[in-house]
Amino acid sequence: MGKLRLTGEDVAMNAISALAVMAVFVVTLYPVWYCLIYALNDNVDSIKGDLYILPRVFTLENFKTIFRNVNVICSYGVSAARTLLGTLYSLALMMPAAYALTKRGKLRFYKFYTAVFIVSMYFSGGIIPFYLLLMNMRLLNTFWVYILPGAVGYFNLLLIMAFLRELPSALEDSAMIDGANVFQILIMVVTPLSKPVIATIAMFVAVGHWNDWFSTAYYTTDPNLMTISTYLTKLVQEEQAKASMQSLAQNTVTKQMLAADMLKYACLIATIAPIVMVYPFVQKFLVQGMMVGSIKA
Amino acid sequence: MKKTIKLFLALTLVFALGAGCSAVTPPPERPAASPDARTGGAAAVDVRFDWLLDTSPVTLRLFEDWPGGVDDPSLLGIQKLQAATGVTLRRSYPTAWDGQELILMLASDSLPDIIVMENGAAWKSNFIQQARDAGKIWAYDDLIEQYAPHFKELAAPEYFEMFKSDDGKTYEYVNAIRTSLYSQKSEEYGVVGHPSAVLVRQDYYDESGAPDMTTPDGFINGLKKMRDAHPNLIPLITPWDTWGSPLGNFGEQFGVAPYYAADGRIYDQLRSPAALETVLFINRLTREGLMPKESIIEGTDVQALVFNGEVISYLWGTLEEGKVPDDNPDTIYAFLKPLNTWKRYDTASIGGWKSILISKKCEYPDRAVRLLEFMASEEGHKTLYWGEEGPAPSEGGAMADLAKGPHYYIDASGKPTHYAEYLAEKAADWDGAALKSGLRQICYGEDSYFRDVVTWNNDDPLTIKEKEIYGGKIEYVPEMSIRVQPDTPEEEIKIRVDQIKRDAVAGILFAETEAACRAAYDGMLQELEEAGLAALEDYYTAQFAELSAIYR
């Protein structure tokens, strides 16, 4: 097979595309790289600034500060558990719910369900009623406060519904003719064909769980339930508070006080690294799944 | 089959809708206290110290709204408190400084025993008002009368007079305020604290012939000379958070008082001629290029530039003297003599670090108020701030060990004074010294005088220099400790007034001509007038009269 000959226009277009992709790559990656440089540089030296490409005085001290405390492992565990369990639970609810909502003619009270979902997507009772609800449900200060509330998001549901509507109905019909019931169709026909959308939604939900500091901050007080993002936020605050005590008391600032602020870069890296590592494993599904957002639900 | 499908789909949806509903383990409950546990030791106690009436072990839950703290029962400070009062403090902190958790605790009727808020927190007044109206917090007057009658003898009167609510009772104890005792004693011992000051690079200052910078013209000319010699550096830099009004931290340089008193009335300070003079001076600095727009930046950035030696001078406090820029280890930043017109007016509104409330959920309100009494008293400061007493250095006394002490001695004038070794350890590693000694770890009852008196040292060169320059220029005016009550029309006006002042800063300071600066200033005053400043000033005048009746 002969090699395809590129015209001048093709070469130019390829070059422009490559440059554009490179630009996006740099713009996306550099902020993370910038944090990494500061995280790996000596804190007192970092005060001088002008760190752009590589650390000037290499150190792992910031990461040692983070991992010195054994609680950090527990917090990673809590974050991992809530991410895994929360994602599975969300998917377990959303897949059948989305499937049901695609059966407009067959589902009794379809409009009612849709209305309830839409209202909940646009309006909320506010933080105080929600807090009181959680309190009355005895969810405060339990692990389940991470999992149960907010397990179903209508936006995600819409994406799944959009994908399911694109599946050929003939597949379901033939399964039904073969004697499959609705559960079997959902589990054995629809779900395997929905891997891209499942991967996409799983990623959305998982990232939401991993990054969520709000639930830990306001709905739990037990240190054993602290997620990694909250733990690291508290660690940075603790270091800053120590430093600011002297500043407040004496109205003076030392280099050590300024250096305490630099810990935040290492914390940022420690927070995002685990979830970033998951992306490559679901990337092939994400590429297809991302497309569903462009289809009307 | 159809029915099965419908049933399944309906159940799935109902389950999905009710995703947030599930009951799990109930929240832990505090064990009820046995009345028998309250074993008073009244027979052997000093009756002046109410906290000694009952030192049986109890635990009090404290929530502090400032993030960054750690609840560590093994802290020496916590143990010292426990040994002295029998109270174990279990503390908790939020993740964000937004007051949200306090609101949630109030709404869900789950306030802790003691609530600590930053005095400057934007939500403080409203929270206190709501908690008071809902009957969720104690008035100190009631608790003191019933359980701690000596509290008012052991703490300065300002603590109970300055923060009265509109029902005449005090619901918040604001620590570390500037009291009359502080002013009287600091004058007696000849200390002036650490005033705000302009710090200048000594090498550049000397290089420019050490000009006299104690007049507005002298200051500008001196700074110009240094700027001309080092055009790449920023001549004068200030932290942005000092610019709540067009005066910034320059008001003291022209002796601007917290309020302007004239014709038997109290006016906003910006109406005073000294305030206008200050503003025109700052405007001259900006027009001469001595304070460009990049001069007003985040405090940490100011400090980073100072360490890098990238600024000629900066506005901060005298205690900053001695900072060495990285590019020249042989020089320091030293504070300049202020303008001849420098004067500072101290009020009880100065300071005020944390506001402490006792909730009605507290099972032991007697112990809570006595705990605060202990922390606020001299006895409490001996335990939590001063440490162990030892002989004076003239008698061979010195700090032997940071943990065991001794940490302070009584000087010839009878004043408690920390050993120089202790202060050096503290300055080198503030938090480390606190961890080892247990001192300055628990600060809730902090009193400005008891806190600072041990650090005053008349032999210290910086203290001597400060006294020489600022001595006799500080006046205590408690009658100007004016507070605007929350949820009042005056508070609404005050919020608008403060916003107008903040918004006007850039336009006034960076006006391109003096005439434009004056016009912008007049425009701001006009806006303040329209926002109801006159009504606010009526309020100031009435409160000034009340406070004058107490203090004058």
Side-chain angles (χ1 to χ4, degrees), chain A residues 48 93 96 100 113 116 128 131 135 137 144 148 181 183 217-218 234 237-238 242 246 250-253 255, chain B residues 1 8-9 12-13 15 17 19 22 24 67-68 70 93 95 98 101 108 316 319-320 323 326 430-431:
Chain A
K48 292 178 186 163
L93 291 182
Y113 296 132
V116 171
I128 293 176
Y131 183 86
M135 190 173 78
M137 296 288 176
W144 303 107
L148 303 181
N181 63 28
F183 299 101
Y218 296 105
K234 280 190 175 277
Q237 284 165 349
E238 199 184 312
K242 280 182 200 167
Q246 185 171 5
Q250 298 200 311
N251 193 23
T252 185
V253 177
K255 278 188 177 179
Chain B
M1 182 66 188
F8 166 67
L9 296 176
T12 305
L13 283 164
F15 193 40
L17 284 169
S22 173
V24 217
V70 182
Y93 304 86
T95 306
D98 57 6
E101 250 180 278
S108 59
W316 208 278
L319 212 60
E320 283 273 299
K323 207 158 255 183
D326 284 342
W430 188 269
D431 188 55

Side-chain angles (χ1 to χ4, degrees), chain B residues 157-158 161-162 177-181 183-184 258-259 345-350 475-483 543-552:
Chain B
E158 286 89 341
E161 285 161 0
M162 291 296 175
I177 56 173
R178 186 61 52 89
T179 61
S180 44
L181 180 68
S183 296
Q184 178 205 323
Y259 297 92
Y345 295 86
D346 283 357
T347 70
S349 314
I350 292 183
E475 190 182 339
Y476 186 59
V477 283
E479 65 276 20
M480 285 196 179
S481 310
I482 292 166
R483 271 180 77 236
Q543 205 174 118
F544 179 81
E546 280 172 32
L547 292 169
S548 297
I550 296 172
Y551 292 105
R552 294 288 169 184

Side-chain angles (χ1 to χ4, degrees), chain B residues 159 176-179 182 446-453 456:
Chain B
Y159 288 108
I177 56 173
R178 186 61 52 89
T179 61
Y182 183 98
E446 183 169 294
D447 171 79
S448 50
Y449 166 63
F450 292 135
R451 175 197 63 200
D452 288 354
V453 65
W456 294 341

Side-chain angles (χ1 to χ4, degrees), chain A:
Chain A
M1 205 160 79
K3 199 177 174 184
L4 200 67
R5 194 185 170 91
L6 294 178
T7 63
E9 198 178 335
D10 291 336
V11 173
M13 271 312 292
N14 285 351
I16 291 167
S17 304
L19 280 175
V21 170
M22 279 299 288
V24 170
F25 178 73
V26 170
V27 166
T28 312
L29 190 71
Y30 187 73
V32 181
W33 181 247
Y34 182 83
C35 290
L36 191 62
I37 299 168
Y38 272 86
L40 294 172
N41 197 67
D42 177 67
N43 285 347
V44 173
D45 179 77
S46 296
I47 298 166
K48 292 178 186 163
D50 295 338
L51 280 170
Y52 301 112
I53 308 294
L54 287 171
R56 198 164 37 223
V57 181
F58 182 83
T59 178
L60 289 173
E61 201 49 46
N62 284 323
F63 289 102
K64 282 182 188 165
T65 305
I66 292 173
F67 292 103
R68 198 172 286 147
N69 194 328
V70 287
N71 290 340
V72 73
I73 305 300
C74 172
S75 293
Y76 269 118
V78 172
S79 281
R82 77 166 279 189
T83 302
L84 197 67
L85 207 61
T87 306
L88 288 175
Y89 181 66
S90 284
L91 289 173
L93 291 182
M94 282 195 289
M95 269 306 287
Y99 180 60
L101 287 170
T102 55
K103 307 295 170 200
R104 189 171 188 163
K106 297 177 185 171
L107 183 65
R108 194 179 286 178
F109 308 124
Y110 172 86
K111 283 185 180 169
F112 170 73
Y113 296 132
T114 308
V116 171
F117 277 124
I118 288 177
V119 167
S120 70
M121 185 168 76
Y122 288 111
F123 306 101
S124 76
I127 185 169
I128 293 176
F130 188 61
Y131 183 86
L132 293 176
L133 176 70
L134 295 178
M135 190 173 78
N136 291 329
M137 296 288 176
R138 305 278 174 90
L139 279 174
L140 289 181
N141 227 12
T142 69
F143 179 74
W144 303 107
V145 78
Y146 298 141
I147 308 295
L148 303 181
V152 176
Y154 191 50
F155 179 75
N156 289 337
L157 217 52
L158 286 175
L159 293 181
I160 301 174
M161 284 159 62
F163 186 90
L164 296 185
R165 285 199 179 113
E166 293 300 306
L167 294 178
S169 60
L171 285 173
E172 288 181 54
D173 295 341
S174 62
M176 206 167 272
I177 291 165
D178 288 344
N181 63 28
V182 70
F183 299 101
Q184 288 167 323
I185 293 172
L186 175 65
I187 294 163
M188 299 170 77
V189 178
V190 175
T191 304
L193 291 170
S194 306
K195 276 183 194 164
V197 76
I198 291 173
T200 306
I201 301 301
M203 204 63 210
F204 288 167
V205 175
V207 171
H209 272 290
W210 186 268
N211 289 342
D212 175 39
W213 62 272
F214 193 89
S215 311
T216 315
Y218 296 105
Y219 307 142
T220 70
T221 51
D222 185 349
N224 294 324
L225 291 174
M226 203 178 286
T227 51
I228 191 65
S229 52
T230 313
Y231 172 82
L232 293 177
T233 306
K234 280 190 175 277
L235 184 70
V236 171
Q237 284 165 349
E238 199 184 312
E239 293 299 315
Q240 286 171 339
K242 280 182 200 167
S244 69
M245 281 297 283
Q246 185 171 5
S247 172
L248 284 170
Q250 298 200 311
N251 193 23
T252 185
V253 177
T254 63
K255 278 188 177 179
Q256 281 66 32
M257 293 179 204
L258 291 181
D261 202 39
M262 303 296 169
L263 183 66
K264 64 188 175 196
Y265 295 109
C267 287
L268 209 140
I269 297 294
T271 310
I272 63 173
I275 197 77
V276 166
M277 283 184 226
V278 177
Y279 272 93
F281 298 102
V282 288
Q283 194 185 6
K284 67 173 181 178
F285 298 115
L286 278 175
V287 174
Q288 300 168 52
M290 286 292 182
M291 296 296 290
V292 297
S294 60
I295 300 165
K296 195 174 165 224

Side-chain angles (χ1 to χ4, degrees), chain B residues 314-335:
Chain B
Y314 67 109
L315 186 62
W316 208 278
T318 53
L319 212 60
E320 283 273 299
E321 175 154 302
K323 207 158 255 183
V324 180
D326 284 342
D327 63 325
N328 184 359
D330 297 325
T331 194
I332 57 163
Y333 282 95
F335 71 86

